[in-house]
Amino acid sequence: MLLIHLDRQSRTPLFRQIFGQLKSMIEENVLRPGDRLPSSRSLSEALGINRTTVTKAYEDLWAMGYTESRSGSYSMVRNRAEIVDEKKADAGKLIEWHKIANSGCGELASTLKSSGFHSQKDGEIDFIPMSPDPRLLPVEDFRKCVNQVLKKNGSSLLQYGDPLGFPPLREYLSHRMRMHGISVFPDEILITSGIQNGVDLVSRMLMAPGSKIVVENPTYSAILPLFQFHRADIVTVDQTEAGMDLDQLESVLSGEPPVLVYTVPNFQNPTGITTSQSHREKLLRLCEKYRVPLLEDGFEEEMKYFGKTVLPIKSMDQHHIVMYLGTFSKVLFPGLRIAWIAADRACIEVLAAIKKAGDLSGNMMNQAALNLFCRYGFYDLQLKRLHKVYRRRMQTALKAARAFIPRNLASFSKPLGGYCLWFELNHFRGDEPEMMDKMKSHGVLVSPGKSFFAASTDRICFRISIAHRDEKEIEEGIKRIGRALA
Amino acid sequence: MLLIHLDRQSRTPLFRQIFGQLKSMIEENVLRPGDRLPSSRSLSEALGINRTTVTKAYEDLWAMGYTESRSGSYSMVRNRAEIVDEKKADAGKLIEWHKIANSGCGELASTLKSSGFHSQKDGEIDFIPMSPDPRLLPVEDFRKCVNQVLKKNGSSLLQYGDPLGFPPLREYLSHRMRMHGISVFPDEILITSGIQNGVDLVSRMLMAPGSKIVVENPTYSAILPLFQFHRADIVTVDQTEAGMDLDQLESVLSGEPPVLVYTVPNFQNPTGITTSQSHREKLLRLCEKYRVPLLEDGFEEEMKYFGKTVLPIKSMDQHHIVMYLGTFSKVLFPGLRIAWIAADRACIEVLAAIKKAGDLSGNMMNQAALNLFCRYGFYDLQLKRLHKVYRRRMQTALKAARAFIPRNLASFSKPLGGYCLWFELNHFRGDEPEMMDKMKSHGVLVSPGKSFFAASTDRICFRISIAHRDEKEIEEGIKRIGRALA
């Protein structure tokens, strides 16, 4: 008979006591694989307790995988392989995963390791995060929307869904983009897991090893390891104060044609530059002339605080050569992973097929909740709130930069929206790591400039993002930068 | 002055009336780009209403993109590009997307088109869906979990998260897999968007065009277009009643080595075959001998209804050559898109880097809600419920097949779990489309066999899934199949 001691004074229910003791006996090999537990009837009689108490304990043992029989009256201890000794296993390793992985994988993995979450120390002012301030996110409104869609349609929203994405959300986006002069129908929109996923899909569609692609120099840093992973030949075109240098671009396009030109026309990450309507038109005409697809990253389209409206390149795209990327990550919740591509129907068809081959379906529950959130007007409300806050934060940042960072030390951009400012040092004595150390020792964290350049450069630059910082912190942080550079 | 008529008797609020009428004027070009709206003060005076009412209408017009000024007292109608005439645009198309897309994309796109959602007609019995019966899904319990995590940690769960996936969920999975004899730590687990995403990541890691990979013949059909997209050289090994033919496999492995062997040991999709412990061990030893990574798809690991426990191949994997795929899609919600890969730490590192390059982060809210769901015991409860229901459904299916499908017409598998049965016709006069037509005319939908074969075959087979059908429907459906084949 098994030795089981019940403590009837204990706050632990009797069935948990039985479960716990049997579990220990199995783990400590007192009960061994193949051993039978007593029937629930006999054990309950022996212990003088209700039979259902024993049954409950036995069910939990089964559910946790300790025993085998699922239906009958007997429970048998299961055969579980022993935990492998780590050191032994390493010695006998047959496959060197890093070595057999495709070229490019190793670099990616080390990038991942180095770009881990940085930890902010007490009192430090962190200008790195580029997502909206968590303090400003309407979590509660979103929670209500999730609730509502799950209550109403949970069972169908938790099934596989339309490969293009939740139809009512695509309809909403089609309407919304029309307000920016972009005319696309809902089936010319593909919902993606963030813009990153969109760029990956486009890359999988158009790139082969060695394919030439054109990016601004500097450009959005997270895109570079992805293009490198696709083994693209990344060609850079200088980002001037007006945007991509169009003469340089034309000389690139007139050579061996690239498969893609990637551009960020609004508050470019990292330079903060917004291009003019005429620059956009010229860029589009160039791509049309050379029949090169243009990937327009409109990541912060609706976050313009100053100056007059400039319409997206896609709004002028009568020949359907532009793939437009939009996202909710910079205004709402980055963790939702909902963004979209708007492009020619034939292009969307191929991209959707690649997406489906890679993950079968998106998560409809999230997309339906976001759709409701937008339809209720919460998205517009959120935009208004962010505009109010960030217009002031940006003004504060620009004022502080003028006050605390002497012109002769550094020049900086004057963004019309978005979250980031870009500084270029004029005659800093030292290299980038030294600059970063100085910043850190003055209690301020910035993004080092080199990661935004695809080509090597001697320029010493850095980006600050005001996304997570309030006005007081912005002023103090920029003051510290001024001191660090002095 | 603008002509605005207010109806004070209407249930539509005044600000909505103003908004609606101005919107129409803009859309109908009565108000044109660049036109200024009257100041809110003058309009409110003219209409004899409160100024804030006008302001509210103006704010909505701005939020919807109809006007420009965001701060000042004047609002200007925005310049929106006209809707492009579809036919005109087509005529001037500069890029043929299907042509410039990489080879393999076109095939994918046509697969996507043909595999659209089939529509079930009234009275038809549909044996196609392989996901759990929506009627059995615990949507309400899950809703509560989503609620709880959003209330408690919404703001941080809606940010970017750990590239490996939500740590507590990985911890839970590590514990859960230990119950199946698999010993992996939480950092040897990567959460993926379904098993499909896992297989894609593994392919991106290991495959180059022309890479040899080994699959069972027949095998899980959704995997084939993905491998084809990667331009793999798909080598088939016959699936016998005992599982993959190991002699055939060895002769393949001893030639030019493949980069991967893909196997489904439990209730294989489509054949329903479960391999024995000793077959699993021999398969593992073969892969070890030739140092070939083994991808074990454990998609319905916990859905065994009959017979004794067989442990996963991964449980015997002391040399870390097995990548194990698990998923919640076949027991819980397929639309959640949460699955995982368990493998050697070095392998997971590379896979996580590829995943991060492709989408930056998973959705932590969903993963946290699922984690809570599991920790509360709802997952175990759901498993128990499904076991009870599906054990009986499977028994009913087997009984009906014996009763209504004569042995001389077709042989069929006797699955120990899962959802699917596989039928092979012995001397059917006609081809697969003819068989499918006969089934359809008898009011029953099945999955045609050819899509599961990577190599061409003369065998006439079909799969039925009992996932969405109750016992009565199963009996009636199989009776119809019998009649269709007679």
Side-chain angles (χ1 to χ4, degrees), chain A residues 64 92 143 147 179 319 335, chain B residues 64 92 143 147 158 179 319 335:
Chain A
M64 298 291 282
R143 187 184 65 75
N147 243 305
M179 302 303 135
H319 297 286
Chain B
M64 299 291 282
R143 187 185 64 77
N147 243 302
L158 288 162
M179 303 302 135
H319 297 286

Side-chain angles (χ1 to χ4, degrees), chain B residues 314-335:
Chain B
K314 181 71 183 158
S315 73
M316 302 176 275
D317 175 35
Q318 300 218 332
H319 297 286
H320 298 206
I321 71 162
V322 178
M323 294 171 280
Y324 176 87
L325 301 164
T327 181
F328 287 96
S329 298
K330 297 298 172 190
V331 173
L332 270 180
F333 312 109

Side-chain angles (χ1 to χ4, degrees), chain A residues 136-162:
Chain A
L136 302 174
L137 292 179
V139 174
E140 190 54 20
D141 295 332
F142 184 70
R143 187 184 65 75
K144 285 179 189 158
C145 292
V146 178
N147 243 305
Q148 202 167 322
V149 299
L150 279 179
K151 269 193 178 153
K152 213 178 156 199
N153 294 313
S155 167
S156 69
L157 290 173
L158 289 162
Q159 303 295 319
Y160 299 116
D162 188 322

Side-chain angles (χ1 to χ4, degrees), chain B residues 167-182:
Chain B
L169 180 61
R170 290 188 282 114
E171 197 185 84
Y172 174 84
L173 289 170
S174 144
H175 182 245
R176 181 120 206 145
M177 281 191 286
R178 205 148 281 181
M179 303 302 135
H180 296 281
I182 295 177

Side-chain angles (χ1 to χ4, degrees), chain A residues 64 70 92 102 112 143 147 158 179 196 200 204-205 207 304 311 319 335 337 356-357 359 366, chain B residues 64 70 92 102 112 143 147 158 179 196 200 204-205 207 304 319 335 337 356-357 359 363 366:
Chain A
M64 298 291 282
R70 278 153 203 207
N102 281 322
L112 179 68
R143 187 184 65 75
N147 243 305
L158 289 162
M179 302 303 135
Q196 191 81 10
D200 187 33
R204 296 183 86 168
M205 173 179 181
M207 283 181 208
K304 192 159 196 287
L311 291 175
H319 297 286
R337 313 308 300 126
K356 194 185 175 191
D359 68 6
N366 297 338
Chain B
M64 299 291 282
R70 280 155 201 203
N102 281 323
L112 180 68
R143 187 185 64 77
N147 243 302
L158 288 162
M179 303 302 135
Q196 191 80 12
D200 187 33
R204 296 183 88 167
M205 174 179 180
M207 284 182 207
K304 192 160 196 284
H319 297 286
R337 315 306 302 123
K356 195 186 174 192
D359 68 6
N363 178 312
N366 298 337

Side-chain angles (χ1 to χ4, degrees), chain A residues 89-103 105-106, chain B residues 205-206 259 287-288 290-294 317 319-323 343-351:
Chain A
D90 259 21
K93 209 168 263 188
L94 291 176
I95 292 178
E96 301 271 12
W97 293 97
H98 283 295
K99 282 190 192 154
I100 66 167
N102 281 322
S103 67
C105 288
Chain B
M205 174 179 180
L206 296 177
V259 296
C287 290
E288 284 175 351
Y290 294 98
R291 300 188 174 222
V292 174
L294 181 57
D317 175 35
H319 297 286
H320 298 206
I321 71 162
V322 178
M323 294 171 280
D344 186 73
R345 195 174 277 116
C347 173
I348 290 293
E349 252 174 45
V350 177
L351 293 171

